[in-house]
Amino acid sequence: MKEKIISIIESYGRTSGRLMDILLSVQAEFRCVSEEAVSLIASELGVSEADVNQTKTFYHFFTTKPVGKYAVYMNNSVTSVMKGMYDVVDEFEKQAGIKFGQTTPDGLLSLNYTACIGMSDQEPAALINNVVFTELTRDKVRKIYSDMRDGKPVEAMFNEFGDGNNANQLVKTMVKNNIRRRGNVTLGEYEVGKGLTKALSMSSQEVIDEIKNSNLRGRGGAGFPTGLKWQFCSKETGDKYVMCNADEGEPGTFKDRVLLTERAHMIFEGMAVAGYAIGAKEGVLYLRHEYKYLKAFMESVLAELRNKNILGNNILGKGFNFDIRVQFGAGAYVCGEESALIESSEGKRGEPRNRPPFPVQRGYNAKPTVINNVETFCSVVKIIENGSAWYRGMGTEESAGTKLLSISGDCKMPGVYEIEWGMTIADMLQMVGAEDVQAVQVAGPSGICLPPSQFNRKIAIEDLPTGGSMIVIGANRDLIKDVVLNFMEFFEDESCGSCVTCRSFNMILRKQVKKVVDGRGIKSDLDNMLAWGEIMRKTSRCGLGQTASNPVSTTIKNFLDLYNARVKDAEYQSDFDMHKAIEESCEVVGRPANIHE
Amino acid sequence: MSEKVKFTIDGKEYEGAKGQLLVDAAAENGVYIPVLCHWKDVIPAGSCRICTVKVNGRFVAACTTPVEDACVVENNTPELQDIRKAIVEMLFVEGNHFCPACEKSGDCDLQALGYRYQMMVPRFPYAFERRELDATSPKIFLEKNRCIFCKRCVRMIKNDKGQSYFAFKGRGKHLEISMDKKLAATMSDELAEKAMKVCPVGAILRKEVGFSTPIGQRKYDNVPIGSDIEKLHK
């Protein structure tokens, strides 16, 4: 073990800045990062064990005890549950004879839950040793389990592959693209290198001006003007970085998965354009661990681009040098926040940074850094190619261009749709074949839960801004139990815990929702939830804490009747359960827990 | 000499140095903004959020926000006072705090803020999470029940190689403070003393010494927290 770990550490230049990669490699090699491994890594890197552990224990996919030879991570997001996750869970548990959270005694199989893995259009889905299994059923689970018993490699458990590059030799996944509508920008026609060639014939300021004039705004959800971000960074001096945020973790989002699969060249080309514009030589693509199955493919695209001299030195003979590396995450939603993403890329806990300074001033490795979303970089390429006026001709006045939507849930055609900004929710529902809709969750859990009375609203930054996640919730769903509670469990798990308010309020709000679901809530609980959610919104450092109360607050606002039907009209309700409190001691002394009965 | 800037807090005009953190600039002017994680001249954590103020209408943490010329700061408004009280209450329900039995009683910033904000009964339900006590170091106890995750020890207690004695473990609701067992075994008395001193609560306590200052004569036994800063102004 020792030699292998040392060689891993060597391969990453023996620097704690690459701790994430070291831990990922150790976990992959030994199915865990044991205490001995931590001790060795700490001494080799010259840091304390506590320092290594603080990074290791932050991420979902690092474990102290070995995961099974087959490590199942079942997605427990809302859409997975909607599409029958509990049947799949039940079958896995029956077959393996263990519960979720456990490993079989022979070490063959471990069962764990994980947050949204970006497959909401083909749920229920799970990762088994980083290989994606979609549309799982009881039958499929039985087959998978028997294959495990036979010792089959995970890759050999299926032989039908998805469309497009999903069937590429280096990918070979069953994942489907589900591209339902192509627009003219990100999923339209694309010729490798055309955008960059044009960019390199312009001055870097002209490139920035073109992006500014296009009114392109960040596609991750925050909607910050891209050109302005680049302009800020271009004014800084010294080494700089371009980073691509491919950590799409907002439950219900999967459009970046499709771009990474079908538009990898375009993403890297867009990063190179940004590098030229701001004066950076290096780029980092931060890719979520859930998309590990794309690793070899992404690296082959990088190699191909280097061969074509679209990356590397003296690009296209214009004297511009730029290259990109892929950095993997290890399971943490908060790393989609740009400064947390930087921390993580530096081998640390993914805790969002305090601002100022902003990443454009002091980002990766303390150097000025531009971070944009996958879709933003793709849009950049087409804007340079066709001009800002062409781009502004699409969408609305304030929201130019097109947007990719990831639409999932109760509809006939879940998948990725490239639309022009400005479409109403009602039109969107018609487009995806959704009938009898109770609500649409716009922009994922951190967005808003929209009632039918507001379906005439527009998908646009000025009305309903979104990173693209749209979850359709049918009339037959129990909104509070199936959706709100699930979202609050998600935020409780994914808070980094650094801010007092986000760490505690998510737990408290989750418990309050559970109380309502269990029929123990009273009217004043609703007022409390709203008031406490407000405190979390006002006092939390990053977007996670500032929006984590939205599932509660937007549903209390828009679906008050559902809550009122579940809470008692009482002044006071004790949270104390005497029966439960004495249960353990009664068991010890061998008498029934029947006090006050 | 750095550039001077003028700003207002709750309508009164003050002067500070450009780039200075708001919490420090306010203190120099005799205005108390409560803190739990902040320690002057140490890289701010910005994690306890109790110093939340409004600057030009936006909620920010005063310990991470540099003072800008002509900025308008709200500090002692009913809204902000309630938020701060809520945060104190939250810390009390999140951990397991038993003031009467704690060696830090009277020197504890959290307890003192509870008095300052006149906390009676927390509005939030108690969590009653079970947490460990780590007594493996020969010099200190790490009483995790009382930790409020301010990161002062994480940021300030290091050896000469820059290695941390303390670090976070886990995340979110599973977050805990942890101690590097190997380093903690070699901790000096001076460092143990410093660790106990910087801890705003009773999470880090020295072994074999205690109650050297009797109850009744401690920092906050007779004057409320913040009065040292506010006195400057009078």
Side-chain angles (χ1 to χ4, degrees):
Chain A
M1 182 182 93
K2 194 175 171 183
E3 278 138 43
K4 181 69 202 168
I5 290 178
I6 290 175
S7 85
I8 288 170
I9 294 169
E10 292 292 345
S11 72
Y12 292 108
R14 208 175 259 280
T15 157
S16 57
R18 298 298 294 274
L19 184 57
M20 281 294 280
D21 303 276
I22 294 168
L23 293 171
L24 283 164
S25 300
V26 172
Q27 175 77 37
E29 182 73 28
F30 301 101
R31 290 192 263 141
C32 67
V33 184
S34 64
E35 284 172 21
E36 298 79 36
V38 167
S39 177
L40 186 60
I41 294 167
S43 72
E44 291 293 316
L45 294 177
V47 297
S48 71
E49 288 178 21
D51 280 328
V52 175
N53 268 323
Q54 66 175 342
T55 295
K56 179 193 131 179
T57 57
F58 190 84
Y59 298 93
H60 190 63
F61 293 111
F62 295 141
T63 60
T64 303
K65 288 190 183 147
V67 292
K69 184 179 160 207
Y70 298 98
V72 175
Y73 283 95
M74 182 81 218
N75 172 26
N76 63 359
S77 75
V78 161
T79 40
S80 180
V81 176
M82 279 180 177
K83 302 294 171 184
M85 182 197 80
Y86 285 113
D87 281 340
V88 174
V89 164
D90 182 62
E91 195 60 41
F92 264 123
E93 290 186 339
K94 256 192 208 155
Q95 293 293 325
I98 52 167
K99 295 280 171 199
F100 265 71
Q102 296 176 338
T103 306
T104 52
D106 60 1
L108 181 74
L109 166 66
S110 59
L111 297 174
N112 283 294
Y113 288 112
T114 194
C116 188
I117 60 171
M119 301 291 157
S120 298
D121 54 340
Q122 39 209 306
E123 298 290 354
L127 298 169
I128 305 178
N129 296 359
N130 301 328
V131 175
V132 186
F133 286 76
T134 61
E135 294 173 330
L136 287 166
T137 59
R138 283 185 184 271
D139 282 348
K140 287 185 187 172
V141 171
R142 282 193 285 268
K143 160 88 167 48
I144 289 168
Y145 185 71
S146 117
D147 284 347
M148 287 174 176
R149 279 269 157 242
D150 295 343
K152 255 194 193 177
V154 186
E155 295 77 11
M157 290 183 186
F158 57 95
N159 48 25
E160 279 179 37
F161 308 116
D163 51 331
N165 284 333
N166 290 303
N168 182 295
Q169 273 305 105
L170 295 170
V171 184
K172 284 179 110 176
T173 175
M174 66 172 74
V175 176
K176 292 180 195 136
N177 283 328
N178 287 331
I179 298 171
R180 309 274 185 182
R181 180 164 167 166
R182 289 174 189 270
N184 287 324
V185 186
T186 46
L187 292 176
E189 281 174 25
Y190 165 64
E191 193 184 314
V192 182
K194 217 171 156 188
L196 184 64
T197 306
K198 190 163 171 203
L200 294 181
S201 72
M202 301 156 73
S203 73
S204 55
Q205 187 57 47
E206 281 167 352
V207 172
I208 292 173
D209 288 340
E210 195 68 28
I211 299 300
K212 269 187 183 166
N213 292 337
S214 75
N215 289 341
L216 173 64
R217 291 166 71 167
R219 291 295 191 253
F224 191 83
T226 306
L228 202 58
K229 190 185 266 185
W230 291 15
Q231 186 74 74
F232 288 143
C233 199
S234 73
K235 289 189 172 145
E236 302 286 330
T237 52
D239 291 346
K240 296 172 194 175
Y241 291 98
V242 173
M243 295 184 96
C244 178
N245 185 344
D247 192 51
E248 65 170 346
E250 190 72 39
T253 317
F254 46 85
K255 50 106 185 163
D256 289 346
R257 177 199 84 212
V258 172
L259 289 178
L260 290 157
T261 311
E262 298 302 328
R263 288 288 181 269
H265 300 78
M266 200 178 186
I267 298 164
F268 294 134
E269 189 176 344
M271 290 174 73
V273 172
Y276 176 70
I278 66 161
K281 290 193 193 74
E282 280 178 70
V284 177
L285 175 92
Y286 187 95
L287 190 55
R288 66 191 309 231
H289 189 271
E290 291 80 350
Y291 296 163
K292 193 82 181 253
Y293 71 96
L294 292 170
K295 184 175 193 270
F297 174 67
M298 298 307 283
E299 277 162 2
S300 78
V301 173
L302 283 175
E304 183 193 329
L305 291 174
R306 284 180 200 118
N307 278 337
K308 288 187 172 155
N309 195 217
I310 286 170
L311 291 175
N313 288 331
N314 192 19
I315 292 172
L316 302 173
K318 299 282 186 180
F320 166 57
N321 304 334
F322 189 77
D323 212 336
I324 297 169
R325 77 172 176 91
V326 178
Q327 170 72 57
F328 275 93
Y333 165 71
V334 73
C335 289
E337 198 279 346
E338 58 179 14
S339 64
L341 183 149
I342 292 174
E343 288 283 299
S344 180
S345 301
E346 292 178 359
K348 300 177 196 153
R349 298 167 62 79
E351 289 179 5
R353 291 178 177 177
N354 292 301
R355 297 183 175 83
F358 292 88
V360 286
Q361 304 163 299
R362 219 180 132 82
Y364 182 54
N365 290 337
K367 305 289 185 211
T369 304
V370 154
I371 305 185
N372 285 124
N373 177 264
V374 169
E375 189 183 346
T376 311
F377 282 121
C378 288
S379 304
V380 157
V381 174
K382 296 303 278 190
I383 291 167
I384 295 298
E385 199 180 311
N386 295 333
S388 54
W390 166 81
Y391 191 74
R392 275 201 321 272
M394 293 173 280
T396 71
E397 193 142 317
E398 283 169 78
S399 311
T402 65
K403 180 78 193 88
L404 289 183
L405 300 180
S406 317
I407 306 176
S408 65
D410 295 314
C411 62
K412 292 197 187 85
M413 290 167 287
V416 171
Y417 294 76
E418 184 180 0
I419 61 149
E420 289 191 29
W421 288 107
M423 180 183 268
T424 63
I425 294 292
D427 287 345
M428 181 196 89
L429 290 172
Q430 206 177 7
M431 177 175 77
V432 302
E435 283 158 17
D436 214 5
V437 176
Q438 175 178 197
V440 175
Q441 186 69 32
V442 177
S446 65
I448 59 173
C449 191
L450 208 68
S453 61
Q454 296 182 35
F455 285 176
N456 57 346
R457 290 179 64 182
K458 284 181 176 147
I459 303 164
I461 296 166
E462 63 272 24
D463 189 3
L464 292 173
T466 176
S469 171
M470 295 281 179
I471 304 170
V472 182
I473 300 155
N476 57 336
R477 305 289 174 190
D478 182 341
L479 190 71
I480 305 176
K481 181 167 170 272
D482 297 346
V483 179
V484 181
L485 186 58
N486 180 293
F487 286 169
M488 290 320 296
E489 285 165 353
F490 168 75
F491 283 127
E492 185 187 25
D493 282 340
E494 297 296 336
S495 165
C496 81
S498 180
C499 292
V500 172
T501 42
C502 177
R503 180 178 72 236
S504 282
F505 273 126
N506 279 314
M507 179 161 68
I508 288 171
L509 287 177
R510 191 264 303 155
K511 284 183 181 168
Q512 294 296 107
V513 175
K514 185 75 169 52
K515 192 176 161 190
V516 171
V517 166
D518 291 348
R520 291 181 292 114
I522 55 174
K523 286 228 153 90
S524 64
D525 283 330
L526 304 183
D527 300 330
N528 283 341
M529 284 196 270
L530 286 176
W532 300 350
E534 253 324 80
I535 299 176
M536 174 157 69
R537 187 181 69 75
K538 287 171 179 169
T539 55
S540 297
R541 181 193 305 162
C542 80
L544 194 160
Q546 288 162 7
T547 58
S549 61
N550 284 351
V552 172
S553 63
T554 67
T555 51
I556 292 181
K557 209 170 128 200
N558 295 331
F559 299 90
L560 186 61
D561 288 350
L562 295 180
Y563 283 91
N564 280 337
R566 282 184 124 127
V567 295
K568 291 180 206 152
D569 196 5
E571 282 282 301
Y572 180 75
Q573 164 88 31
S574 175
D575 284 341
F576 183 70
D577 183 346
M578 175 62 98
H579 189 89
K580 209 175 158 203
I582 60 168
E583 212 170 46
E584 198 184 332
S585 53
C586 284
E587 204 185 310
V588 172
V589 296
R591 54 166 276 190
N594 58 357
I595 197 164
H596 297 329
E597 270 171 18
Chain B
M1 195 62 196
S2 55
E3 199 185 321
K4 289 278 170 206
V5 291
K6 284 202 168 112
F7 60 99
T8 66
I9 300 179
D10 296 332
K12 282 193 188 160
E13 201 163 285
Y14 299 102
E15 213 177 64
K18 193 176 176 179
Q20 189 179 20
L21 293 172
L22 186 51
V23 70
D24 295 333
E28 281 179 16
N29 283 286
V31 176
Y32 175 64
I33 300 174
V35 294
L36 283 168
C37 65
H38 181 66
W39 193 276
K40 203 169 180 295
D41 300 328
V42 174
I43 294 172
S47 61
C48 78
R49 314 311 286 180
I50 198 143
C51 69
T52 298
V53 291
K54 258 178 156 174
V55 175
N56 300 333
R58 289 189 57 195
F59 290 95
V60 296
C63 75
T64 62
T65 306
V67 60
E68 299 278 351
D69 200 32
C71 68
V72 176
V73 182
E74 290 170 56
N75 178 35
N76 272 327
T77 63
E79 182 188 28
L80 288 167
Q81 298 287 53
D82 183 62
I83 284 176
R84 290 168 186 171
K85 190 176 177 186
I87 289 174
V88 173
E89 290 173 19
M90 174 158 284
L91 289 167
F92 269 99
V93 302
E94 182 194 54
N96 299 306
H97 300 272
F98 303 101
C99 298
C102 180
E103 149 68 329
K104 210 61 184 280
S105 182
D107 283 329
C108 170
D109 292 357
L110 180 64
Q111 181 193 40
L113 284 170
Y115 282 120
R116 180 159 177 135
Y117 289 104
Q118 298 178 13
M119 181 185 85
M120 302 302 282
V121 178
R123 70 192 82 172
F124 310 112
Y126 278 92
F128 295 125
E129 295 287 333
R130 281 186 194 182
R131 299 194 198 149
E132 273 176 23
L133 187 154
D134 184 345
T136 54
S137 162
K139 300 292 180 192
I140 55 168
F141 295 105
L142 185 61
E143 170 48 298
K144 299 184 183 184
N145 285 295
R146 299 172 188 168
C147 178
I148 58 166
F149 308 100
C150 68
K151 270 193 172 176
R152 280 188 190 171
C153 60
V154 176
R155 287 173 289 155
M156 295 168 72
I157 309 299
K158 300 193 179 211
N159 66 10
D160 48 11
K161 288 185 206 146
Q163 297 172 324
S164 311
Y165 286 79
F166 299 95
F168 275 4
K169 213 171 148 182
R171 73 172 186 223
K173 63 179 170 181
H174 301 298
L175 190 67
E176 57 174 283
I177 187 70
S178 71
M179 183 162 61
D180 190 281
K181 290 196 165 54
K182 280 184 195 159
L183 287 183
T186 63
M187 196 180 227
S188 68
D189 284 322
E190 293 71 35
L191 208 55
E193 177 66 26
K194 187 180 172 192
M196 179 168 168
K197 197 177 146 219
V198 300
C199 179
V201 288
I204 301 173
L205 299 172
R206 284 190 66 190
K207 283 183 175 173
E208 296 174 5
V209 279
F211 294 94
S212 51
T213 308
I215 301 280
Q217 293 170 27
R218 296 179 170 201
K219 220 167 150 189
Y220 307 124
D221 280 344
N222 300 303
V223 286
I225 187 169
S227 51
D228 52 337
I229 288 171
E230 286 167 332
K231 219 176 275 171
L232 276 175
H233 200 50
K234 286 177 185 150

